[in-house]
């Protein structure tokens, strides 16, 4: 837990409240609600607020009348006490010489310095907003992947449980027929082996589902039903993509800083004012004088060359990063489109396979019960039917995942 110390008071900073949980845990929440919940759990709003406070403080500094903090000084010059002397000097008598010189110096704004600073702050604020949007988009991608993995793992577990229940029912049927003398005792062992294999597969699938659920809970803290599967959206303009907007904003910041570095080719001048009160000795009056001066730093390559080179390097890095992001986004969109098309084709084939396997399973089951087929053939066909069922369910879940990845690739927010 973070602790904030102010003066002598210690105040605990509690995490912000999460979005309220719905009245019924049986109601599947929407994607936007889950994204808000995950965003709050990671305290991203606090980090964004802290960055905003930094920019606000810099804006307030630009509104001050001086370019930096004033400096106050005081010079005092007096005779040494009687009998005192410095090494290498003679002892002299005190004549009463006294001199006081208080002064203040303030740095002044260069022409255009505040305007350039405000322009840079405007770009940095836009970059902060773009970074927040891109952060939510990346978190949405994590949620989409976690939800797809959990849905797939749960579907696998349910399929293995159904297989286990069917194998147990088949074993009971075989045992009764063995006792009745319709089947050989070896068939009972074969049915038992099938049930045990199904049970092992169900336990393994349950472990994978628990792991996927743990990841989902770590992101959202939501233990209720998953949100509905996403529908593929039409392509969005590239300019609307959060990652591209973030990269473009970074380019804007780098360009503003480069312009500011080119404009401010010298340090701020310093205006100084001082008053002097002095007397020559005892019995003489004080002379009061005022001094006003200004110091103008010079424009030198030793100062400017490193700054300009660093600003130019930052600008170039930002533009190259924008190009890399644009290429990466195009690649991800093409990959997501290819995955969607492949998933849709696989789902259509899986549906056709499921229909054929279902008819075959029903026909062989009737023949087996009539004594026209043996148990090994019945188990083989039954395994084919279960495999077709799982292939269809898996293809459906993969199509849902491909749709979610497509929406993520085009920059769509839940």
């Amino acid at each position: 837990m973070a602790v904030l110390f102010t003066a002598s008071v210690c105040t605990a900073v509690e995490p912000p409240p999460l979005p309220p949980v719905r009245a019924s845990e049986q109601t599947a929440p929407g994607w936007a609600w889950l994204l808000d919940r995950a965003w709050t759990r990671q305290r991203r709003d606090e980090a964004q607020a802290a960055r905003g406070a930094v920019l606000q403080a810099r804006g307030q500094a630009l509104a001050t009348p001086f370019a930096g903090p004033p400096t106050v000084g005081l010079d005092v010059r007096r005779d040494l006490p009687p009998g005192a002397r410095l090494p290498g000097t003679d002892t002299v008598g005190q004549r009463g010489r006294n001199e006081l010189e208080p002064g203040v110096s303030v740095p002044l704004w260069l022409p255009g310095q505040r305007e350039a600073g405000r322009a840079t702050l405007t770009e940095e604020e836009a970059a902060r907003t773009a970074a927040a949007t891109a952060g939510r988009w990346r978190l949405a991608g994590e949620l989409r992947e976690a939800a797809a993995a959990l849905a797939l793992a749960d579907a696998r577990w349910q399929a293995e449980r159904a297989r286990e229940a069917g194998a147990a029912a088949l074993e009971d049927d075989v045992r009764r027929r063995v006792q009745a003398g319709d089947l050989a005792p070896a068939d009972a062992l074969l049915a038992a082996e099938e049930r045990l294999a199904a049970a092992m597969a169900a336990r393994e699938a349950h472990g994978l589902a628990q792991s996927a659920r743990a990841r989902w809970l770590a992101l959202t803290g939501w233990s209720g039903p998953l949100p509905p599967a996403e529908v593929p959206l039409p392509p969005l303009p590239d300019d609307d993509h959060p990652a591209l907007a973030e990269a473009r904003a970074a380019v804007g910041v780098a360009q503003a800083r480069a312009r500011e570095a080119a404009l401010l080719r010298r340090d701020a001048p310093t205006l100084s004012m001082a008053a002097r009160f002095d007397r020559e000795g005892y019995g003489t009056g004080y002379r009061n004088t005022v001094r006003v001066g200004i110091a103008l730093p010079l424009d030198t390559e030793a100062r400017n060359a490193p700054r300009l080179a660093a600003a130019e390097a930052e600008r170039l890095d930002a533009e190259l990063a924008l190009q890399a992001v644009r290429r990466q986004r195009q690649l991800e969109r093409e990959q997501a489109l290819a995955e969607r098309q492949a998933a849709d084709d696989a789902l259509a084939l899986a549906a056709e396979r499921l229909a054929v396997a279902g008819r075959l399973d029903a026909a062989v089951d009737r023949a087996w019960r009539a004594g026209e087929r043996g148990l090994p053939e019945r188990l083989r066909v039954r395994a084919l039917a279960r495999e077709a069922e799982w292939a269809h369910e898996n293809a459906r879940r993969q199509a849902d995942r491909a749709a979610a990845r497509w929406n993520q690739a085009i920059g769509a927010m839940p």
Side-chain angles (χ1 to χ4, degrees):
M1 179 180 297
V3 179
L4 176 65
F5 291 93
T6 57
S8 60
V9 180
C10 178
T11 304
V13 180
E14 296 292 342
L18 296 174
V21 177
R22 296 172 179 269
S24 173
E25 287 263 334
Q26 300 304 316
T27 303
W31 279 104
W33 182 85
L34 283 170
L35 179 58
D36 289 340
R37 185 176 178 86
W39 185 264
T40 304
R41 278 174 61 85
Q42 297 185 9
R43 306 180 71 172
R44 299 285 186 92
D45 284 332
E46 293 182 61
Q48 290 298 321
R51 296 186 183 96
V54 172
L55 297 180
Q56 182 180 5
R58 289 173 54 190
Q60 292 173 351
L62 288 173
T64 59
F66 305 120
T71 301
V72 178
L74 176 64
D75 291 340
V76 179
R77 184 166 62 179
R78 303 190 65 180
D79 286 339
L80 290 173
R85 68 182 181 88
L86 296 176
T89 63
D90 297 330
T91 301
V92 296
Q94 187 179 29
R95 295 190 299 271
R97 182 179 178 87
N98 194 23
E99 182 180 316
L100 299 175
E101 188 174 344
V104 60
S105 61
V106 293
L108 304 178
W109 294 106
L110 288 168
Q113 182 177 1
R114 281 198 278 196
E115 289 73 13
R118 292 191 183 103
T120 301
L121 279 181
T122 300
E123 295 294 340
E124 290 181 351
E125 177 59 30
R128 185 181 73 92
T129 303
T133 303
R136 289 180 66 88
W137 168 75
R138 295 187 182 95
L139 182 59
E142 294 183 41
L143 290 181
R144 283 163 167 154
E145 287 296 325
L150 177 55
L152 190 61
D154 274 346
R156 180 74 189 215
W157 181 35
Q158 297 299 331
E160 296 298 345
R161 289 179 63 189
R163 175 191 170 192
E164 182 182 9
L170 180 63
E171 182 184 19
D172 291 340
D173 189 18
V174 169
R175 185 182 300 111
R176 287 192 298 269
R177 295 182 65 177
V178 168
Q179 292 175 353
D182 295 337
L183 296 175
D187 289 337
L189 296 176
L190 187 59
E193 194 280 335
E194 170 66 14
R195 177 184 59 80
L196 292 173
M200 290 178 60
R203 301 305 180 272
E204 180 180 359
H206 181 259
L208 294 176
Q210 290 293 92
S211 177
R213 186 167 296 278
R215 180 190 175 194
W216 174 256
L217 287 174
L219 280 174
T220 64
W222 173 254
S223 59
L226 290 176
E230 293 187 76
V231 177
L233 299 176
L236 300 177
D238 287 342
D239 291 342
D240 295 339
H241 199 290
L244 286 173
E246 181 185 29
R248 283 195 304 271
V251 171
V253 171
Q255 291 174 343
R257 289 174 179 171
R259 289 191 296 268
E260 188 174 4
L263 176 66
L264 306 178
R265 300 184 63 86
R266 64 183 68 200
D267 292 330
T270 302
L271 176 66
S272 60
M273 295 170 288
R276 184 174 181 180
F277 312 98
D278 68 293
R279 70 181 183 185
E280 292 297 332
Y282 293 118
T284 62
Y286 276 92
R287 292 179 300 178
N288 302 329
T289 58
V290 176
R291 177 176 57 83
V292 177
I294 186 168
L296 298 175
L298 299 179
D299 177 356
T300 63
E301 284 299 310
R303 174 194 180 275
N304 294 323
R307 296 170 181 261
L308 294 174
E312 180 63 18
E314 181 183 0
R315 184 192 63 80
L316 181 59
D317 287 343
E319 292 178 353
L320 292 177
L322 174 59
Q323 295 177 9
V325 170
R326 183 173 286 111
R327 289 193 299 268
Q328 182 66 22
R329 297 286 78 81
Q330 181 63 29
L331 174 61
E332 290 181 357
R333 177 177 293 200
E334 293 175 358
Q335 289 176 335
L337 179 59
E339 184 178 355
R340 268 187 59 199
Q341 294 171 346
D344 291 342
D345 293 342
L347 180 58
L349 291 174
E352 184 178 357
R353 178 188 177 188
L354 178 63
V356 172
R359 292 195 297 269
L360 176 62
D361 184 56
V364 173
D365 183 65
R366 288 192 298 270
W368 178 72
R369 294 184 182 280
E372 299 174 358
R373 293 288 188 274
L375 182 59
E377 184 178 0
R378 176 68 189 97
L379 292 177
R380 182 179 63 83
V381 174
R382 184 175 179 275
L384 290 176
R386 294 292 181 265
E387 183 180 348
E389 291 175 0
W390 163 243
H392 179 264
E393 182 64 21
N394 180 62
R396 188 172 69 85
R397 299 293 181 179
Q398 293 292 354
D400 292 342
R401 169 180 278 182
R405 287 178 174 175
W406 164 258
N407 289 344
Q408 181 72 14
I410 63 176
M413 299 291 288

